[in-house]
Amino acid sequence: LRESANRAQSEAEMARAEMKRLRDAFIDVGGSGEALDNSAAMRELRSVLDRAEKGISLTRAHFLVADGIPEYFGLDVEQQVAKIQKIADYVKAETDRNYARHKSEGFRETMGREEEYKLNILVCVLRDDFKIRYIQGRPDHKKPEALFVNGLLQTKTGTCISMPMLYVLVGEWLGYPIHLVAIKDHYFCRWDDGKYAANIEATSGGGIADDTH
């Protein structure tokens, strides 16, 4: 029970951080923080965060923030959540389908190697099956599609903000310990369960690197 409560609290903290990050980005490109704060979507999100002991979906939180942006007013949050869940279901199916083959080819069932296998399947599915690509040219971060995963899913192209966030959201549905990492003006994501850790550079085809990255 204590572990469940701690996990719920951690998820709530991640959602609050995501809400603040996107709010700050919106204000940086000239948006009204007051209008965003008073939107129905943001009021609902704050209500959800206040009930953090029951757990929270970071995926839902992300799209609730998007719904508070004028360009995305009226966004069907449940539809966007369902899209992420569908991708996660596909990743799981591919992970299960390929497991026997990798095991027969010498795949070792140690914790580190198994987690590495799962991560590689996730990368390959998003890159090769869903054709997610980094946007060509210099990204215009004034456009909301550069900030939110719903824009990424619509165009199949993203930025160092939206692409690693896609990994985090899909990972949430799979139960993967994938977290967003910010360094200066760049974002990437990291798998870290305390036993196996790897950095994922989503904008470079999902390249996996150690901490020297």
Side-chain angles (χ1 to χ4, degrees), residues 21 24 36 41 52 78 88 96 100 105-109 114 124 129-131 140 144 149 159 183 189 203 211:
R21 179 185 70 80
D24 291 346
L36 179 60
E78 299 307 323
D96 294 344
E105 292 174 354
F107 170 66
R108 293 182 301 170
E109 294 185 89
E114 183 170 347
C124 290
D129 295 354
F130 285 90
K131 309 297 184 184
D140 183 357
V149 171
T159 66
I183 51 171
C189 48
T203 58
D211 286 341

Side-chain angles (χ1 to χ4, degrees), residues 61-116:
H62 178 84
F63 293 121
L64 281 170
V65 175
D67 189 32
I69 302 298
E71 289 85 348
Y72 289 142
F73 280 163
L75 179 71
D76 189 331
V77 172
E78 299 307 323
Q79 182 185 69
Q80 298 302 319
V81 171
K83 288 181 180 180
I84 297 298
Q85 187 173 11
K86 185 176 180 179
I87 294 173
D89 288 344
Y90 183 88
V91 172
K92 185 179 186 306
E94 287 298 289
T95 302
D96 294 344
R97 184 177 68 85
N98 287 282
Y99 185 86
R101 176 170 62 84
H102 280 264
K103 184 178 179 181
S104 69
E105 292 174 354
F107 170 66
R108 293 182 301 170
E109 294 185 89
T110 61
M111 177 60 74
R113 290 294 299 274
E114 183 170 347
E115 302 310 313
E116 185 176 8

